[in-house]
């Protein structure tokens, strides 16, 4: 759907050094959107930058027909986007892509690195609506970063959040994987949780978003115990509709082991982590 969405509010979140913005838009896209999908946003009506920019849908409000985008200002496109004011219109293409699976029962563990937390918020809220148990493990820079990247929204939604920082200033010192291992007393409890899943109707699913090395490590850790894991990949995008081949990633067929190319915009951005061939190009 291509639509001019009305800007309801647009504000900087928290500490200005993190350059994180919250943009709420009134759009019919809210009625179709699923957690993990994204919109392709026109950031300029001129030729520079010519290309739209992909931003995940962080919150979906069907009653108000609103979506929330959370984004970090990185370069020319997001700098332009940050100048858009309330009551102006913004051209959106969306909702795009394959989103996360919202489990029907059991527990959902969310694992985020930095601003990878943004697409997980809509998933967490959808899972809570189904009365699932949801927990977030989130690695970031420091307290000011977590506050600027929407920690409060998670707390307001009543979702338990465990944090890790490399300097140990908040939460567990180390990576988000160190945090998970500490929470589960090494990996032995992960194995127990899986066995619990194997012998009862209780299942734990994992969804992750963040830098690729983090998602790879998280996926390998949980997959070895038989959890289902979904990862939201990020690639630079051109068209976002599957036409330009600008966003290719590599998948490995689970049975044959054959490698194939996939489009992050159309086949993803969310993939079954078991299929992702990390760091492989064909
Ligand atoms: C499916 C998808 C969902 C996304 N969701 C969000 C979101 O919810 N919030 C958010 O803040 N960002 C999100 N991004 C990233 C966002 O699209 C980029 O930050 C944005 O396009 C940068 O545009 P720019 O013009 O500001 O920066 P540019 O001038 O284009 O780039 C600035 C710097 O960032 C690097 N860069 C730009 N885009 C990417 C990318 N996709 N991957 C890696 N490096 C990149 C460039 O190489 C350059 O170093 C998402 C990306 C994808 C593919
Ligand atoms: S961005 Fe063009 S094919 Fe994915």
């Amino acid at each position: 759907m291509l639509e001019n969405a009305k800007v309801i509010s647009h504000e900087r979140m928290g500490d200005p050094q993190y350059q994180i913005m919250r943009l709420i838009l009134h759009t019919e896209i809210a009625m179709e959107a699923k957690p993990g999908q994204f919109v392709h946003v026109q950031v300029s009506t001129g030729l520079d930058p010519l290309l739209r920019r992909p931003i995940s849908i962080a919150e979906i409000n069907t009653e108000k027909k609103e979506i929330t985008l959370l984004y970090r200002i990185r370069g020319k496109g997001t700098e332009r986007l940050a100048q858009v004011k309330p009551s102006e219109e913004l051209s959106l293409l969306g909702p795009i892509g394959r989103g996360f699976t919202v489990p029907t029962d059991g527990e959902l563990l969310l694992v985020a690195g930095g601003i990878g937390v943004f697409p997980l918020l809509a998933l967490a809220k959808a899972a809570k609506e189904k009365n699932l148990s949801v927990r977030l493990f989130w690695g970031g820079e420091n307290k000011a970063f977590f506050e600027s990247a929407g920690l409060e929204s998670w707390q307001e939604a009543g979702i338990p959040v465990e944090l890790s920082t490399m300097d140990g200033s908040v939460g567990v010192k180390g990576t988000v994987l160190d945090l998970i291992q500490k929470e589960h007393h090494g990996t032995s409890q992960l194995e127990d949780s899986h066995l619990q899943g194997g012998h009862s109707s209780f299942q734990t699913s994992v969804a992750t978003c963040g830098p690729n090395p983090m998602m790879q490590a998280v996926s390998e850790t949980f997959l070895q115990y038989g959890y289902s894991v979904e990862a939201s990949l990020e690639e630079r995008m051109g068209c976002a509709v599957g036409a330009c081949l600008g966003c290719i990633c590599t998948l490995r067929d689970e049975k044959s082991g054959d490698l194939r190319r996939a489009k992050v915009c159309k086949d993803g951005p969310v993939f079954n982590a078991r299929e992702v061939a990390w760091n492989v190009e064909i």
Side-chain angles (χ1 to χ4, degrees):
M1 176 184 318
L2 181 63
E3 210 201 52
N4 285 333
K6 188 174 168 198
V7 177
I8 302 296
S9 67
H10 197 183
E11 62 194 4
R12 197 176 287 274
M13 291 164 68
D15 188 332
Q17 72 163 304
Y18 295 106
Q19 307 250 72
I20 295 175
M21 306 291 292
R22 178 190 283 120
L23 170 59
I24 301 182
L25 296 152
H26 185 268
T27 167
E28 290 294 327
I29 289 171
M31 307 312 286
E32 307 278 324
K34 302 275 180 293
Q37 290 188 304
F38 66 96
V39 284
H40 214 26
V41 184
Q42 188 178 48
V43 291
S44 161
T45 47
L47 292 177
D48 185 29
L50 182 64
L51 295 175
R52 290 167 179 262
R53 296 294 190 262
I55 307 281
S56 304
I57 300 170
E59 289 190 75
I60 304 162
N61 185 329
T62 50
E63 272 173 36
K64 292 186 175 173
K65 292 192 181 173
E66 288 176 1
I67 58 171
T68 301
L69 310 184
L70 303 175
Y71 68 91
R72 184 176 238 175
I73 301 172
R74 290 184 75 152
K76 207 184 258 183
T78 44
E79 269 164 23
R80 287 279 175 87
L81 180 59
Q83 287 159 20
V84 173
K85 300 200 169 39
S87 83
E88 287 181 2
E89 288 194 337
L90 203 54
S91 169
L92 301 182
L93 189 62
I96 300 176
R98 175 185 178 271
F100 290 106
T101 309
V102 186
T104 47
D105 55 18
E107 185 182 31
L108 179 62
L109 298 185
L110 306 174
V111 187
I115 61 170
V117 76
F118 296 156
L120 298 177
L121 185 57
L123 173 63
K125 290 194 170 182
K128 283 286 278 184
E129 274 173 24
K130 289 189 176 180
N131 291 321
L132 259 77
S133 159
V134 184
R135 282 202 292 164
L136 171 67
F137 297 93
W138 186 10
E141 292 163 58
N142 53 35
K143 187 166 180 261
F145 166 77
F146 291 120
E147 287 171 356
S148 305
L151 177 60
E152 205 179 64
S153 305
W154 290 85
Q155 290 165 336
E156 279 169 10
I159 295 160
V161 180
E162 308 290 341
L163 303 173
S164 69
T165 48
M166 291 310 288
D167 63 4
S169 58
V170 192
V172 164
K173 184 172 182 189
T175 66
V176 75
L177 209 61
D178 296 326
L179 167 65
I180 290 165
Q181 288 179 345
K182 185 151 190 272
E183 280 292 307
H184 291 84
H185 308 289
T187 49
S188 60
Q189 231 182 48
L190 290 179
E191 200 169 355
D192 292 348
S193 301
H194 166 56
L195 288 176
Q196 193 184 357
H199 294 290
S200 74
S201 60
F202 188 88
Q203 294 287 343
T204 302
S205 318
V206 179
T208 183
C209 186
N212 275 3
M214 182 219 86
M215 290 198 287
Q216 179 177 3
V218 167
S219 301
E220 286 168 357
T221 300
F222 282 99
L223 287 173
Q224 68 180 311
Y225 295 115
Y227 288 75
S228 69
V229 183
E230 288 186 326
S232 181
L233 305 193
E234 199 183 304
E235 282 295 334
R236 300 214 68 180
M237 284 185 185
C239 68
V241 292
C244 74
L245 306 184
C247 64
I248 294 299
C249 68
T250 309
L251 302 184
R252 180 178 285 110
D253 186 89
E254 275 192 71
K255 286 190 186 134
S256 66
D258 291 348
L259 296 174
R260 68 185 164 91
R261 303 171 95 206
K263 297 165 188 167
V264 172
C265 66
K266 210 164 176 215
D267 306 314
V270 176
F271 292 91
N272 177 350
R274 201 174 281 285
E275 283 192 326
V276 178
W278 304 96
N279 302 317
V280 179
E281 276 183 40
I282 53 169

